[in-house]
Amino acid sequence: GSAGSGSPGSTEPASRAASPSPRISGTVTVLAAASLTESFGVLADEFERAHPGTTVRTSFGASSALASQITNGAPADIFAAASPETMRQVVDARAARSSSVFARNHLQIAVPRGNPGKVTGLADFGRTELRIAVCAPQVPCGAAATKAFSAADISAKPDTYGNDVKAVLTAVRTGEVDAGLVYRTDVRAAGNAVTGISFPESAQAINDYPIAVLANAPNPSAAKAFVAYVRSEAGRRALSAAGFDVP
Amino acid sequence: MTRSRPFSTRIPVVLGIPALFGIAFLVIPLLGLLVRAPWGSLITHLHEPGVWEALRLSLLCATLATLVSVAFGVPLAWALARSEIPGRALIRALVTVPLVLPPVVGGVALLLVLGRRGLVGQWLDQWFGISLPFSTTAVVLAESFVAMPFLVLSVEGALRGADRRYDEAAATLGASSWLTFRRVTLPLVAPGVAAGAVLAWARALGEFGATITFAGNFPGTTQTMPLAVYVALETSPDAAIVLSLLLLAVSVGVLVALRHRWVPTA
Amino acid sequence: MTRSRPFSTRIPVVLGIPALFGIAFLVIPLLGLLVRAPWGSLITHLHEPGVWEALRLSLLCATLATLVSVAFGVPLAWALARSEIPGRALIRALVTVPLVLPPVVGGVALLLVLGRRGLVGQWLDQWFGISLPFSTTAVVLAESFVAMPFLVLSVEGALRGADRRYDEAAATLGASSWLTFRRVTLPLVAPGVAAGAVLAWARALGEFGATITFAGNFPGTTQTMPLAVYVALETSPDAAIVLSLLLLAVSVGVLVALRHRWVPTA
Amino acid sequence: MSERSEGTAQHSERSERTVQQGERTIQKGGRSLSLDAALRVERPGFVLDIQLTARPGEVVALIGPNGAGKSTALRALAGLEPLSAGVVHLDGETLDDPAARVRLRPEQRPVGVVFQDYLLFPHLSALENVAFGPRAHGVAKRQARTLAQEWLRRVGLGDLASAKPGQLSGGQAQRVALARALAVEPRLLLLDEPLAALDAATRVDVRADLRRHLSAYDGSCVLVTHDPLDAMVLADRIVVLEAGQITQEGRPAEVARAPRTTYVARLVGLNLYRGYADGPVVRLAGSGEVTVAQPSTGEVFVAFQPSAVALHPERPAGSPRNCWPVTVSTVERHGDLMRVRLAGVPPVLADVTAGAVADLGLTPGTQLWAAVKAAETRVYPA
Amino acid sequence: MSERSEGTAQHSERSERTVQQGERTIQKGGRSLSLDAALRVERPGFVLDIQLTARPGEVVALIGPNGAGKSTALRALAGLEPLSAGVVHLDGETLDDPAARVRLRPEQRPVGVVFQDYLLFPHLSALENVAFGPRAHGVAKRQARTLAQEWLRRVGLGDLASAKPGQLSGGQAQRVALARALAVEPRLLLLDEPLAALDAATRVDVRADLRRHLSAYDGSCVLVTHDPLDAMVLADRIVVLEAGQITQEGRPAEVARAPRTTYVARLVGLNLYRGYADGPVVRLAGSGEVTVAQPSTGEVFVAFQPSAVALHPERPAGSPRNCWPVTVSTVERHGDLMRVRLAGVPPVLADVTAGAVADLGLTPGTQLWAAVKAAETRVYPA
Ligand SMILES: Nc1ncnc2c1ncn2[C@@H]1O[C@H](COP(=O)(O)OP(=O)(O)OP(=O)(O)O)[C@@H](O)[C@H]1O
Ligand SMILES: Nc1ncnc2c1ncn2[C@@H]1O[C@H](COP(=O)(O)OP(=O)(O)OP(=O)(O)O)[C@@H](O)[C@H]1O
Ligand SMILES: [Mg+2]
Ligand SMILES: [Mg+2]
């Protein structure tokens, strides 16, 4: 479910996104969660090609840091967050009116190459002899992990809580831990250094990515067009390629 | 003719104005934090679980890291400043590497060396069953790694500024280079060492990237204040500001209290 | 009786061994990175868009931040070391605040003060139409904020170690305190200033948290190397290691090349 | 007449400054005080409390034992040491007056200082050190360098202009320090042992040069020195400082002739005693008594030269009115003679020839009789 | 007999060291050299190249003008300055021999040094400074402190044991430095102007103390001094160093009587000329000639005392064989007399009474005739 103030698709019907927009030009500034680096990079290039005369400036960072920038008056057009929580901070500060979920990410088990801990499913996270990393409960991937564990009724025995997914993933890649719980997009980005293992409870451990045009957007028309583009068929294709679920 | 008030040291304007700007630049952001701090919910935030644990751990690890830095960094600084070891310029430049290295990459580098499968770590694990990552020791190591360069470079600067002829005088009195170092050189550069130790301690106290990567983030063993702040930022920036202020208050308090020790009276 | 080889400075064992450990501790993690670096795809990674741009920006901003730190930090250090300003101990402790503050919080603090809606920033915006955040200027400010304390504390340490009687001699020759500072005090503590400037430069070069928060992460204007490394970590950890090594190589190269300048020959 | 070289502290009245000082004396006569200072500096375990004055062009030598407060006095005049009480006036201007909360900073005082340990700026060349003062006084760079070069030439270091202080020998450094202080042409010149590190030959030259320089300008000069000859040659007036207090003051010849403290007596090589005169007999303050030629009454000093002391293995019969048993403490060579330090009541110094030492078999511990003729003593009121 | 105080550089042959040195002379006679060094130190613009030896117990005074290389020689002996060539042997042990690649570090040499600028450790008290050496040699802490206290007492600073160097006066600091060097009881003692900062009275005591100490121990001592009296009183042998070379060497009395360089002549206050003798007439190297009492042939030195020079307003008739026109350069007081520096062929120094100065109206520029009797001159081969 969405935690944002707007329900998915409430502001921008997907149908309009594909239709040719009015003449837009200028620069669109997009603040996006770091996990969107790859897909939004692709989208920005495609958008610029589709709308000659536009430039997309992207700035990737932790969603929380981006939210601080926006509430402190960053001159940006679009915010794409990795969690509804941070989006709500922005909306609460009246920096955006509404938002919509444009992608979802679900958890996967990541194990180092060769799977030295012989991990097969979420149940292995209860094995005390294994070194386990999960995200801290306060951060979105940690919240999702908590949901997954409670759905599977497992008391996990992590050895470390990552402050973000990358910390968990680094621990897995270097073989420091035998298993970690990360997003599918991360497993995909990590290439063959880690192996992803899907598990059924991941359906209960989904994180929503909301997007919003900002209230003080310097270029609102182009911003709307970019959001529409993200939600268009082309956008969905790029997001799925990176491992996101697209609603 | 201008007349100064009796017995006051005059600060020339050309120095006083930039100095004021400097203070303002460093201190006003802190005021910003204080102004925006959620004073109403302060107590609540301070009573969240793990806060005091994290503070204790931060102070402990930063202090240990400072001791490690002094123990290894002062001799290193001496070797760089006083001896004729080959490739000194390169070593000196390499010492600054941990400053330049993005801390997260620094943590990765530590894992690559001291981790379970690391260059050195795999033998530690295999022969002694020692695994460093995700332990309090790892926090101390990560903090030492980022903090030691500060100590080394400040102490080296102080050593270069010191008069070497006192060392010569000590030698003619029969003192070995170790005794000379201990009883003459080191006391003479005490202000430099103190400044370096304060830098190292403060840097260790604020260390975040290398710690999270190399030592992880487990409440009670490896979660220091900066990690707690980072986690809090995700859910509640207010809580993060409160925790940061707590960390600052404690560190400023410690430094003011230590003043008489780390600023030797001339 | 032991006989040293002619004309060599002997390093006593008690200093030499910890010094070696110190070097190893700081340098071996770098070796770890080098060993695990993806040498095969090195060229590819170096040709990814924005890499050289980011490097240029990093060097530029770090150098400007160092200049800012020297311009304001040296007078501040002088005021702390030499004058009788009230509350010196507190000011000195407050100067270390940017070290202790987790850099991201530092960035937030800068936003709170200099942001468009910040304490100072709103007036800058309203009266002069100046908006600092998310510009290259913001990068320089963020880096100065974290780097200046290193300079201030090293220089203060050096000033405390220096012999004040040379200042007295200059005064009896009719030199104002500013002339004395410029022509006598400053040259005498040059090694300390150099060490502080190197520390500040290196720290600014590696700065990440405050920059990404206060200045954003826009390629070409605010994306410095550490930010590029962060972005690369998302997509390709190998690329991140390559970029880090590039940054290190350049900084080590610069420091070795500058050696004759920042290490005054005694 | 035999040759007397440096170090002879004794002065005959003939040797007044009649030659080079004619003009200066006239100059001074008409004017009031140039330096008029009362200095009080308090330190744990040490208090300096003196009055110090100088007329225009006058050179005052401050002499006294180590730790007497000579350098402290100079520092106080230069504004480097805060006064706890007192006042410093120079040419009618108030430099320091803690009671009125007036205190000029050192750089505001027209004062030049040569420090006891030189304090040459280690990072500047000899030339730059000397040019520093003129530059600070606003002289143009090129001109300041020319001036500095000229000063270095005068102290005999013209060819070491580019040497750094670390590359100078001790005496060269002292000469640079002297040039540096003189180059600012101050109205008050403070010299703390300006010749101590100079070699004996150069010293003669530099002393003569300094003499000439000091006579040429009409600022005042306070000179600290341990060399009695420097004090005699350079100074118009000697001020003796002991343990923070002035114990004697006067023209060089007067001080040498009539010392009032043991320190001065030793400096000029006299035996000196204080006592109570009652006719021709003076009862000494310690114990013992001396018979003198000029009868007087009251507190007096008695002085006589070591060469006036005769030593005898047995109690001598005959004219010497003073005769008492003594024991040899040390014997050391002193110029052409041997100086014998004798314990007794009172203790006494005697100068005898090396031949006498051999004849009498003088070694530490030898028991003798000392004899002094009353005619050899000098008595003056205390 | 008149009193002669410090500074008399002239020596009569009678005043040999017969008193305190009897035993030492015997000691030395039987033994070989203690210090045997050849030092060569090269610097841009300066080369030191000397042979320096000392028998056990011998005190060698190194004198010479500023910048001659005296401190450099001491530093080389202490191992602080690398030799570019040469060798240092002490009591048969090789301390330095660059050719054989042998070089003991300073702390391995049994050498004590008093530095020209003291170099007291600023963070240690006077007591701790003195105790430092014994501690470094393994003496227990308490014992080292007792020892140090005793040494401080000997140099008259017993009550300043806890003062930091920054709280000491210049002379107090020098005395602490002396105590510090002596406290390690080295086999070779190197003293760089150990008495320069002492006040004249203390100096007498410390000199006597040093004298006693030096006679008591059988290590060698090399002493740099600018004070001719120190050299005469303390040294067994004088080595004159000029511009990095030894120009004269010998017993104090010899050096004072027959100087071989202008520097030494000025030091001992003689007029000295070099020239070619042909019977009773010596043609001087500069120009001019002098008639002497003892006829000789070949390269010679001619020396006479300033007091032997008579000054006349007109060319005098009569006995003086040497008589030439001169012009007054300077007149300055020198002890009881006035010393007149005269330009002429040759230039000459004259000592005259103050009365004579007034009678002759001597001021710079006055034209006169100088006269020296042949009987007053001394001639010795160059
Ligand atoms: N910074 C200081 N703090 C405390 N005491 C000091 C300080 N400097 C000097 N003294 C003491 O003050 C007294 C006077 O010192 P000062 O240097 O004036 O002596 P001085 O007459 O110049 O002696 P000298 O002939 O040895 O140079 C001495 O007893 C000394 O120990
Ligand atoms: N560190 C140095 N570098 C270069 N030259 C130096 C250095 N130290 C001294 N000199 C030069 O070497 C020469 C000898 O110096 P040294 O200090 O030995 O003289 P000195 O005989 O002790 O003179 P003084 O009586 O003035 O102390 C001098 O000309 C001096 O300028
Ligand atoms: Mg003094
Ligand atoms: Mg010397």
Side-chain angles (χ1 to χ4, degrees), chain C residues 98-110:
Chain C
L99 295 178
V100 178
L101 204 60
V104 173
V105 179
V108 171
L110 284 173

PDB file of all heavy atoms in Angstrom, chain C residues 98-110:
ATOM      1  N   PRO C  98      32.937  21.054  13.664  1.00  0.00           N
ATOM      2  CA  PRO C  98      32.734  20.471  12.333  1.00  0.00           C
ATOM      3  C   PRO C  98      33.423  19.125  12.149  1.00  0.00           C
ATOM      4  O   PRO C  98      33.077  18.377  11.236  1.00  0.00           O
ATOM      5  CB  PRO C  98      33.330  21.519  11.393  1.00  0.00           C
ATOM      6  CG  PRO C  98      33.264  22.783  12.155  1.00  0.00           C
ATOM      7  CD  PRO C  98      33.488  22.401  13.579  1.00  0.00           C
ATOM      8  N   LEU C  99      34.409  18.833  13.007  1.00  0.00           N
ATOM      9  CA  LEU C  99      35.055  17.527  12.919  1.00  0.00           C
ATOM     10  C   LEU C  99      34.157  16.452  13.478  1.00  0.00           C
ATOM     11  O   LEU C  99      34.118  15.321  12.987  1.00  0.00           O
ATOM     12  CB  LEU C  99      36.339  17.510  13.751  1.00  0.00           C
ATOM     13  CG  LEU C  99      37.473  18.402  13.335  1.00  0.00           C
ATOM     14  CD1 LEU C  99      38.607  18.261  14.326  1.00  0.00           C
ATOM     15  CD2 LEU C  99      37.925  17.978  11.970  1.00  0.00           C
ATOM     16  N   VAL C 100      33.494  16.795  14.561  1.00  0.00           N
ATOM     17  CA  VAL C 100      32.731  15.799  15.299  1.00  0.00           C
ATOM     18  C   VAL C 100      31.363  15.584  14.661  1.00  0.00           C
ATOM     19  O   VAL C 100      30.828  14.480  14.659  1.00  0.00           O
ATOM     20  CB  VAL C 100      32.565  16.264  16.766  1.00  0.00           C
ATOM     21  CG1 VAL C 100      31.742  15.279  17.557  1.00  0.00           C
ATOM     22  CG2 VAL C 100      33.916  16.470  17.394  1.00  0.00           C
ATOM     23  N   LEU C 101      30.835  16.672  14.120  1.00  0.00           N
ATOM     24  CA  LEU C 101      29.513  16.611  13.520  1.00  0.00           C
ATOM     25  C   LEU C 101      29.526  15.605  12.363  1.00  0.00           C
ATOM     26  O   LEU C 101      30.362  15.709  11.477  1.00  0.00           O
ATOM     27  CB  LEU C 101      29.215  18.007  12.967  1.00  0.00           C
ATOM     28  CG  LEU C 101      27.786  18.450  12.782  1.00  0.00           C
ATOM     29  CD1 LEU C 101      27.044  18.442  14.094  1.00  0.00           C
ATOM     30  CD2 LEU C 101      27.776  19.851  12.191  1.00  0.00           C
ATOM     31  N   PRO C 102      28.606  14.640  12.359  1.00  0.00           N
ATOM     32  CA  PRO C 102      28.552  13.773  11.171  1.00  0.00           C
ATOM     33  C   PRO C 102      28.363  14.674   9.952  1.00  0.00           C
ATOM     34  O   PRO C 102      27.530  15.581   9.973  1.00  0.00           O
ATOM     35  CB  PRO C 102      27.319  12.916  11.426  1.00  0.00           C
ATOM     36  CG  PRO C 102      27.154  12.910  12.902  1.00  0.00           C
ATOM     37  CD  PRO C 102      27.645  14.250  13.366  1.00  0.00           C
ATOM     38  N   PRO C 103      29.156  14.444   8.896  1.00  0.00           N
ATOM     39  CA  PRO C 103      29.176  15.406   7.794  1.00  0.00           C
ATOM     40  C   PRO C 103      27.794  15.679   7.203  1.00  0.00           C
ATOM     41  O   PRO C 103      27.508  16.810   6.821  1.00  0.00           O
ATOM     42  CB  PRO C 103      30.083  14.731   6.769  1.00  0.00           C
ATOM     43  CG  PRO C 103      30.952  13.847   7.568  1.00  0.00           C
ATOM     44  CD  PRO C 103      30.155  13.390   8.740  1.00  0.00           C
ATOM     45  N   VAL C 104      26.935  14.660   7.165  1.00  0.00           N
ATOM     46  CA  VAL C 104      25.613  14.900   6.602  1.00  0.00           C
ATOM     47  C   VAL C 104      24.867  15.928   7.444  1.00  0.00           C
ATOM     48  O   VAL C 104      24.221  16.840   6.918  1.00  0.00           O
ATOM     49  CB  VAL C 104      24.822  13.574   6.529  1.00  0.00           C
ATOM     50  CG1 VAL C 104      23.394  13.841   6.099  1.00  0.00           C
ATOM     51  CG2 VAL C 104      25.502  12.615   5.575  1.00  0.00           C
ATOM     52  N   VAL C 105      25.002  15.802   8.755  1.00  0.00           N
ATOM     53  CA  VAL C 105      24.366  16.770   9.638  1.00  0.00           C
ATOM     54  C   VAL C 105      25.001  18.140   9.437  1.00  0.00           C
ATOM     55  O   VAL C 105      24.312  19.165   9.450  1.00  0.00           O
ATOM     56  CB  VAL C 105      24.476  16.319  11.104  1.00  0.00           C
ATOM     57  CG1 VAL C 105      23.832  17.353  12.021  1.00  0.00           C
ATOM     58  CG2 VAL C 105      23.831  14.972  11.281  1.00  0.00           C
ATOM     59  N   GLY C 106      26.303  18.142   9.188  1.00  0.00           N
ATOM     60  CA  GLY C 106      26.970  19.395   8.868  1.00  0.00           C
ATOM     61  C   GLY C 106      26.341  20.042   7.652  1.00  0.00           C
ATOM     62  O   GLY C 106      26.100  21.252   7.625  1.00  0.00           O
ATOM     63  N   GLY C 107      26.075  19.223   6.649  1.00  0.00           N
ATOM     64  CA  GLY C 107      25.430  19.731   5.449  1.00  0.00           C
ATOM     65  C   GLY C 107      24.051  20.293   5.766  1.00  0.00           C
ATOM     66  O   GLY C 107      23.669  21.364   5.273  1.00  0.00           O
ATOM     67  N   VAL C 108      23.314  19.576   6.604  1.00  0.00           N
ATOM     68  CA  VAL C 108      21.985  20.062   6.997  1.00  0.00           C
ATOM     69  C   VAL C 108      22.119  21.394   7.722  1.00  0.00           C
ATOM     70  O   VAL C 108      21.377  22.348   7.450  1.00  0.00           O
ATOM     71  CB  VAL C 108      21.284  19.018   7.894  1.00  0.00           C
ATOM     72  CG1 VAL C 108      20.006  19.614   8.490  1.00  0.00           C
ATOM     73  CG2 VAL C 108      20.980  17.758   7.103  1.00  0.00           C
ATOM     74  N   ALA C 109      23.119  21.476   8.614  1.00  0.00           N
ATOM     75  CA  ALA C 109      23.327  22.719   9.364  1.00  0.00           C
ATOM     76  C   ALA C 109      23.627  23.866   8.407  1.00  0.00           C
ATOM     77  O   ALA C 109      23.104  24.975   8.566  1.00  0.00           O
ATOM     78  CB  ALA C 109      24.457  22.536  10.361  1.00  0.00           C
ATOM     79  N   LEU C 110      24.465  23.600   7.409  1.00  0.00           N
ATOM     80  CA  LEU C 110      24.758  24.654   6.425  1.00  0.00           C
ATOM     81  C   LEU C 110      23.497  25.071   5.689  1.00  0.00           C
ATOM     82  O   LEU C 110      23.261  26.255   5.440  1.00  0.00           O
ATOM     83  CB  LEU C 110      25.823  24.171   5.436  1.00  0.00           C
ATOM     84  CG  LEU C 110      27.246  24.143   5.971  1.00  0.00           C
ATOM     85  CD1 LEU C 110      28.183  23.479   4.969  1.00  0.00           C
ATOM     86  CD2 LEU C 110      27.727  25.561   6.263  1.00  0.00           C
TER      87      LEU C 110
END
